[in-house]
């Protein structure tokens, strides 16, 4: 059966520690601090990837073994603070409060410590003991920062471990420090930030009022602080529990509506003290390398040129290296595999041979021949991400993607879709916002991939001669316009037309780390093989059965039957059942269109005869309609399987499937009806 | 016109102040101090978490009439949409020549 729920099976959300021998560490941190590198180093490939219960936010957890201890490491979503502004922030704080991990390991970027200390200033109010991983020490010293971890440790009264995770330094020390903290009975009191002087009394008053009604694991001081900050979730919680008494608290809060600034200034004052204690900033006027590069990389004109050069290079790399390997694998596995299978199964019934050769081996072939392209593409994406360039690309493209309601980051995977839709769908992982990511994934199939362009390039000249180029460009344009339109539709549907605020941090550029990239490539590759791969394999067998039963040929098959059923729809486009079957067969692989037509129209000489037979079998208007449907048609099996894998939802996969099917058929009918008037 | 250094620069003299300006109005190279952030609690708390709190110095790195704006705040580079940048009011540090 199709493993429909692999994702949910793999994601056993653990909100409580199971046995006494298992420690739980939560890994917290702001974005761009190298947290995922550290998570990968601690857990290796023993990771569980799934969603947080009831949320579309990815949950990663893994086991780490050290000194006979078993430690569960839960990677909290990267967040700048712990207010309830986003699902990520809610998840992070809920986990710390409700699952009370033995230690919260917070990773900070030593080169942006002033900003990163903000999260620590919030975490210090939560009950779990804290260990600070002061990461990117190497980058910070390159930038001219002088940091004294011991002084910082003394100032915070929390263990601080200096590290450069991308060089493999400090990870073990971090782990050992965290274990020590977990086993310690009496923990030192950390030095917490306080609210600005003028709001101290109101905070104290609130603590007194909420003390008795604050439900268990919530710390009352923290609750009072969150009420003053105007945190919606906590406000609701306390309002529900207080009943009639709420009005008084509410009045206090209204009176101190600006308290959030007093809290913030208290935190930044505390941060200032920490910075003065442990950090010497670089001398003024020292222009960092990042700023030198950004002068061009984020410029509206230079930035675009650099982006297209980078993309062009990635693209050509993927295809100059990937395609030959693909062909080699195809010859090795599909062709020689088929030959061997034919020999081995020579005595067996024809259906068994068909099943093995055209079902199983062809399915494995599809999966394996996609791998080289995916691996190269993931490596390129991983490199650009680790280098820090991805955020710049998003910055440059945001002005264009904004109109669709999409994030600048959506551009990269969409562009890659011209090569192949599968890596494009998987590449959408770089978009953090789950809804924006979903919208991007759902419109990706409308980017015409090389396989569809090849069919277009083959058929357009047959019907349109010299105007073929014009027709081809027109159809590609139509496809992109449809993508735009669907983008707007999904934007309305998923985000309610709301324009997501564009707020993004551009990380410092730094030398990419081989291990980080290899790890992300292998994790994604294995994910593809495990989830999408099995769907592709099963569906290949199903589709083989549909196209060869009953009767053993496509002419008499169920597929032909479905094609005949669809003939009425075809007739609105001037297409007969054979053209409909050709479209259906493109579901397996987009390249299949041509060989299927060759079989259906003339079983003899393939391409030559097709070119001579086709023009006689339909009008030019019908041919135009066929090409329209073909370029917009439902995503191929592999793309569909990866959409299922990446969205984690059959519902959205099916909605997308039928929506694109309907759009392509309607477009085909319209094109035929209009074109018939002119051609 | 000469090209201004667009990195963090400290003035040897006391800067003079002119009126409040939204961040979106500042040309690249200009530095200002955040005075007020309009646009509700949620926006305010997000900005504060990113380091944009009243009193902090912001330098504009890229701003080209259209599209997002790149700034430098507390040693990190922060990109903001034009709409968001309009809600942040700054006291501009004028550099009298």
């Amino acid at each position: 059966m199709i493993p429909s729920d692999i994702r949910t099976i793999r994601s056993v959300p653990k909100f409580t520690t199971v046995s006494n021998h298992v420690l739980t560490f939560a890994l917290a941190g702001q974005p761009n601090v190298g947290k995922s590198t550290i998570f990968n180093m601690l857990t290796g490939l023993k990771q569980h990837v799934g969603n947080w219960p009831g949320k579309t936010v990815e949950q990663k957890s893994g086991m780490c073994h050290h000194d006979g201890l078993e430690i569960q490491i839960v990677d909290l979503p990267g967040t700048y603070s712990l207010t309830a502004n986003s699902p990520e922030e809610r998840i992070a704080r809920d986990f710390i409060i409700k699952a009370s991990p033995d230690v919260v390991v917070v990773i900070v970027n030593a080169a942006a410590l002033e900003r990163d200390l903000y999260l620590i200033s919030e975490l210090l109010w939560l009950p779990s003991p804290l260990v600070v991983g002061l990461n990117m020490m190497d980058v910070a010293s390159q930038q001219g920062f002088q940091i004294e971890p011991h002084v910082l440790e003394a100032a915070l009264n929390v263990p601080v471990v200096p590290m450069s995770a991308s060089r493999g330094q400090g990870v073990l020390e971090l782990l050992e420090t965290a274990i020590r903290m977990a086993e310690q009975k009496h923990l030192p009191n950390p030095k917490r930030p306080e609210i600005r002087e003028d709001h101290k009394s109101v905070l104290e008053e609130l603590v007194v009022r909420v003390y008795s009604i604050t439900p268990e694991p919530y710390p009352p001081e923290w609750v009072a602080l969150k009420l003053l900050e105007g945190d919606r979730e906590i406000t609701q919680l306390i309002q529900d529990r207080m009943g009639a008494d709420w009005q008084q608290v509410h009045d206090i809060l209204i009176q101190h509506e600006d308290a959030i600034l007093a809290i913030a200034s208290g935190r930044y004052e505390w941060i200032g003290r920490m910075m003065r204690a442990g950090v010497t900033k670089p001398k003024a006027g020292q222009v960092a390398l990042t700023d030198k590069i950004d002068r061009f990389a984020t410029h509206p004109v230079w930035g675009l040129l650099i982006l297209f050069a980078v993309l062009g290079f990635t693209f050509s790399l993927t295809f100059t290296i990937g395609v030959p390997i693909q062909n080699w694998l195809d010859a090795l596995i599909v062709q020689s595999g088929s030959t061997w299978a034919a020999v081995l199964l020579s005595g067996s019934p024809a259906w068994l041979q068909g099943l093995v050769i055209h079902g199983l081996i062809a399915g494995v072939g599809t999966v394996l021949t996609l791998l080289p392209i995916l691996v190269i593409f993931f490596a390129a994406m991983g490199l650009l991400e680790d280098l820090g360039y991805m955020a710049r690309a998003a910055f440059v493209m945001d002005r264009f993607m904004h109109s669709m309601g999409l994030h600048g980051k959506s551009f990269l995977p969409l562009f890659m879709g011209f090569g192949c839709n599968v890596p494009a769908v998987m590449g959408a992982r770089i978009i953090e916002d789950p809804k924006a990511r979903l919208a991007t994934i759902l419109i990706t199939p409308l980017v015409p991939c090389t396989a569809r362009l090849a069919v277009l390039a083959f058929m357009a000249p047959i019907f349109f001669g010299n105007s073929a180029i014009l027709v081809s460009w027109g159809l590609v344009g139509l496809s992109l316009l449809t993508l735009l339109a669907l983008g707007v539709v999904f934007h309305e549907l998923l985000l309610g037309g709301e324009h997501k605020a564009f707020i993004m941090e551009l990380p410092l550029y730094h030398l990419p780390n081989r291990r980080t990239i290899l790890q992300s490539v292998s994790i994604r590759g294995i994910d593809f093989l495990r989830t999408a791969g099995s769907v592709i394999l099963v569906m290949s067998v199903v589709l083989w059965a549909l196209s060869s039963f009953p009767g053993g040929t496509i002419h008499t098959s169920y597929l032909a039957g479905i094609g005949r059923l669809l003939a009425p729809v075809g007739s609105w486009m001037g297409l007969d059942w054979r053209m409909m079957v050709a479209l259906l067969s493109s579901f397996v692989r987009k390249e299949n269109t041509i060989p299927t037509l060759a079989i259906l129209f003339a079983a003899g000489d393939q391409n030559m005869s097709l070119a001579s037979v086709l023009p006689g079998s339909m009008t030019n208007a019908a041919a135009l309609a066929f090409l329209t449907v073909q370029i917009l048609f439902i995503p191929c099996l592999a793309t569909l399987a990866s959409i299922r894998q990446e969205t984690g939802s059959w519902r959205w996969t099916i909605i997308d499937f039928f929506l694109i099917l309907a759009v392509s058929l309607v477009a085909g009918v319209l094109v035929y009806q209009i074109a018939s008037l002119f051609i | 016109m000469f090209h201004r250094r667009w990195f963090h620069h400290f003035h040897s003299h006391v800067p003079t102040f002119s009126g409040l300006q939204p961040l979106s109005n500042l040309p690249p190279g200009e530095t200002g101090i955040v005075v007020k952030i309009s646009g509700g609690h949620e926006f305010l708390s997000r900005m504060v978490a990113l380091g944009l709190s009243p009193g902090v110095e912001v330098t504009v790195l890229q701003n080209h009439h259209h599209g997002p704006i790149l700034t430098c705040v507390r040693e990190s580079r922060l990109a903001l949409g034009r709409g968001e940048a309009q809600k942040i009011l700054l006291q501009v540090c004028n550099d009298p020549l």
Side-chain angles (χ1 to χ4, degrees), chain A residues 224-241:
Chain A
L225 212 54
K226 287 288 146 187
L227 284 178
L228 277 175
E229 272 187 90
D231 186 292
R232 259 191 262 151
E233 202 183 44
I234 297 299
T235 308
Q236 193 62 48
L237 178 84
I238 297 303
Q239 188 179 353
D240 290 349
R241 294 182 68 93

Side-chain angles (χ1 to χ4, degrees), chain B residues 2-95:
Chain B
F2 65 94
H3 199 74
R4 291 184 53 175
R5 291 273 291 284
W6 47 275
F7 192 65
H8 230 78
H9 55 193
F10 290 88
H11 311 278
S12 51
H13 43 261
V14 180
T16 55
F17 292 111
S18 56
L20 292 189
Q21 292 242 37
L23 176 58
S24 51
N25 278 7
L26 266 65
E30 201 91 20
T31 299
I33 289 170
V34 176
V35 173
K36 192 174 182 304
I37 298 171
S38 53
H41 248 108
E42 210 172 298
F43 182 68
L44 181 60
S45 79
R46 281 185 79 184
M47 289 295 109
V48 163
L50 285 159
L52 268 170
S53 59
V56 77
E57 203 178 75
V58 182
T59 305
V60 173
L61 301 181
Q62 296 279 2
N63 183 0
H64 295 272
H65 313 293
H66 180 68
I69 293 160
L70 184 60
T71 64
C72 183
V73 190
R74 297 187 198 270
E75 324 290 343
S76 62
R77 283 132 209 91
L78 193 63
L80 293 168
R82 194 151 287 273
E84 285 75 50
Q86 270 158 4
K87 295 180 191 160
I88 297 163
L89 295 176
L90 305 176
Q91 181 101 62
V92 180
C93 310
N94 268 346
D95 198 359

Side-chain angles (χ1 to χ4, degrees), chain A residues 16-32:
Chain A
T16 48
T17 21
V18 193
S19 84
N20 293 335
H21 306 287
V22 182
L23 291 174
T24 303
F25 293 172
L27 205 56
Q30 294 195 345
N32 305 316

Side-chain angles (χ1 to χ4, degrees), chain A residues 409-451:
Chain A
K409 282 193 176 174
S410 304
F411 176 75
L412 274 126
L414 285 175
F415 183 84
M416 284 302 160
F418 280 107
C420 175
N421 287 178
V422 176
V425 169
M426 296 185 76
R429 284 186 193 185
I430 57 166
I431 306 161
E432 288 95 9
D433 182 67
K435 285 176 177 171
R437 179 169 58 221
L438 181 59
T440 307
I441 291 174
L442 295 178
I443 59 173
T444 301
L446 287 163
V447 182
C449 64
T450 38

Side-chain angles (χ1 to χ4, degrees), chain A residues 217-371:
Chain A
Y218 290 97
E221 298 87 356
W222 181 79
V223 166
L225 212 54
K226 287 288 146 187
L227 284 178
L228 277 175
E229 272 187 90
D231 186 292
R232 259 191 262 151
E233 202 183 44
I234 297 299
T235 308
Q236 193 62 48
L237 178 84
I238 297 303
Q239 188 179 353
D240 290 349
R241 294 182 68 93
M242 273 199 157
D245 294 340
W246 169 251
Q247 193 53 43
Q248 284 168 314
V249 174
H250 184 69
D251 289 342
I252 298 175
L253 294 178
I254 294 284
Q255 254 176 38
H256 295 277
E257 241 190 339
D258 59 338
I260 183 170
L261 290 175
I263 296 170
S265 91
R267 285 181 187 143
Y268 278 116
E269 196 265 323
W270 173 86
I271 289 170
R273 253 184 294 146
M274 298 300 136
M275 292 294 287
R276 280 192 297 278
V279 182
T280 314
K281 286 191 191 180
K283 288 197 184 75
Q286 185 183 339
V287 182
L289 177 67
T290 292
D291 292 306
K292 280 184 196 153
I293 302 173
D294 271 351
R295 219 158 159 171
F296 297 100
T298 59
H299 190 271
V301 179
W302 295 115
L304 269 186
L305 290 177
I306 292 172
L307 175 62
F308 280 104
V310 167
L311 288 177
F313 181 70
T314 310
F315 218 70
S316 65
L317 197 71
T318 310
F319 288 95
T320 49
I321 301 179
V323 172
I325 302 178
Q326 216 177 9
N327 292 338
W328 176 74
L329 276 176
D330 192 55
L332 189 77
I333 292 157
V334 181
Q335 284 160 31
S336 65
S338 308
T339 317
W340 275 102
V343 173
L344 289 173
L345 298 169
S346 56
S348 61
W351 68 263
L352 186 62
Q353 288 187 33
L355 171 70
V356 172
I357 294 168
H358 299 294
L360 284 175
I361 293 179
V364 171
T366 307
V367 175
L368 286 184
T369 52
L370 269 172
L371 258 191

